[in-house]
Amino acid sequence: MEYKYRTKGTCSMEISFDIEGNVITNVVFYGGCNGNLKAIGKLVDGMTVEAIEEKLKGNTCGPRPTSCADQLAMAVREAYNKTTGDA
């Protein structure tokens, strides 16, 4: 299932990805640092929600309290909770 997440507090504006069970694929960031965000998408492809959270949650960008990576961790958790009814 494709999921779209509007980011908050980052240069990227939106993240889209597919979620099947707790596995994330096809991550695409819209806006932000193109090369770095493409690399993040490739690195997390096929990872579980839990693994993405473990690696990326809490990562900050400069003085900001969040980052595109942190937003991805939030997005995959939100998508998982919505698809499993754990919201």
Side-chain angles (χ1 to χ4, degrees), residues 39-78:
I40 290 173
K42 289 178 181 182
L43 290 170
V44 301
D45 195 60
M47 289 177 70
T48 64
V49 169
E50 297 80 11
I52 292 170
E53 285 180 316
E54 183 181 316
K55 298 283 185 191
L56 302 179
K57 188 173 182 181
N59 189 46
T60 59
C61 182
R64 296 181 179 127
T66 190
S67 67
C68 293
D70 183 53
Q71 290 290 297
L72 176 59
M74 292 181 203
V76 299
R77 174 52 63 186
E78 179 180 288

Side-chain angles (χ1 to χ4, degrees), residues 5-21:
Y5 179 84
R6 295 287 296 174
T7 59
K8 299 158 195 76
T10 61
C11 297
S12 67
M13 297 172 284
E14 184 175 83
I15 307 168
S16 70
F17 52 90
D18 292 328
I19 180 168
E20 295 297 329

